[in-house]
Amino acid sequence: MDVLCKRENPDSWNILECLEHLNLYGRFYLPQIEAKIRNSGTRPDPEFRSGLLGNYFAKSMLPKQKLNKMKTFKDKNPLNTSLNKSVIDQFLKQQFQLLELINQAANVSLNQIKIPVSFSRFIQLKLGDTFQFLVNHNLRHLQQIERIEKAIKSHEALSI
């Protein structure tokens, strides 16, 4: 458990906080996606065409060699929150739910169904863009976790 709570520096997230950040987004998006798919009368599209804003948000989340730091919204920032291993269980549960929703989405329109973004109910992304955003966001923070692990191992090796 100790390694899950170590930080690279006092202002950075630890591994559990990274996962909890993803859980916070999952708690927002997954129920909305599920309801929209369930209540959709749309048919699958022959082709998905990313929207301008959705494409921008999805690409901005893609992990890069030199990661551009982003400020997170206050309600999605778990820094210094008391967390335990249940965060990992919740994360895994949400990943299975996301996979199931992606499978269900094969029967509806990725272009016509719209999902509000977490910071404004007035801005909505196509379902396909929302999936791309969530997957890229997960990748981004999983790479962050890998960097944290490397930094911890490097620090421990120097301490020996």
Side-chain angles (χ1 to χ4, degrees), residues 13-56:
W13 290 343
N14 62 39
I15 293 171
L16 286 179
E17 289 167 341
C18 287
L19 293 175
E20 180 61 11
H21 171 72
L22 295 174
N23 289 344
L24 291 167
Y25 273 88
R27 283 184 210 121
F28 177 82
Y29 284 105
L30 297 177
Q32 288 192 65
I33 292 169
E34 185 174 16
K36 295 279 186 156
I37 289 174
R38 185 179 45 241
N39 298 320
S40 173
T42 64
R43 295 195 181 282
D45 304 299
E47 184 180 337
F48 172 69
R49 293 193 182 274
S50 191
L52 191 63
L53 197 55
N55 188 46
Y56 170 78

Side-chain angles (χ1 to χ4, degrees), residues 16-17 22 28 30 42 50 52 55 60 75 80 85 101 105-107 135 137 145 147 153-154 156:
L16 286 179
E17 289 167 341
L22 295 174
F28 177 82
L30 297 177
T42 64
S50 191
L52 191 63
N55 188 46
S60 72
D75 68 328
N80 296 320
K85 286 185 179 180
L101 291 171
N107 301 312
V135 169
H137 188 235
I145 288 170
R147 283 193 315 277
K153 285 178 184 174
S154 173
E156 287 174 352

Side-chain angles (χ1 to χ4, degrees), residues 68-103:
N68 54 324
K69 295 228 177 197
M70 296 182 155
K71 277 244 184 227
T72 192
F73 294 100
K74 189 174 183 173
D75 68 328
K76 303 289 186 282
N77 188 347
L79 184 66
N80 296 320
T81 308
S82 178
L83 301 170
N84 59 43
K85 286 185 179 180
S86 68
V87 169
I88 298 168
D89 295 332
Q90 179 67 41
F91 175 74
L92 293 173
K93 185 177 174 184
Q94 285 187 3
Q95 295 313 295
F96 285 117
Q97 185 180 7
L98 178 59
L99 284 171
E100 178 59 31
L101 291 171
I102 290 170
N103 286 327

Side-chain angles (χ1 to χ4, degrees), residues 13 18 21-22 136-145:
W13 290 343
C18 287
H21 171 72
L22 295 174
N136 291 350
H137 188 235
N138 284 348
L139 288 171
R140 178 185 190 86
H141 289 292
L142 290 173
Q143 282 193 0
Q144 180 181 9
I145 288 170

Side-chain angles (χ1 to χ4, degrees), residues 100-143:
E100 178 59 31
L101 291 171
I102 290 170
N103 286 327
Q104 291 174 20
N107 301 312
V108 298
S109 172
L110 296 175
N111 290 302
Q112 293 175 26
I113 295 175
K114 304 287 194 249
I115 308 294
V117 297
S118 61
F119 59 88
S120 171
R121 67 176 196 254
F122 301 110
I123 300 173
Q124 298 188 354
L125 303 180
K126 294 178 180 186
L127 177 58
D129 285 326
T130 304
F131 281 136
Q132 287 183 61
F133 168 82
L134 286 173
V135 169
N136 291 350
H137 188 235
N138 284 348
L139 288 171
R140 178 185 190 86
H141 289 292
L142 290 173
Q143 282 193 0

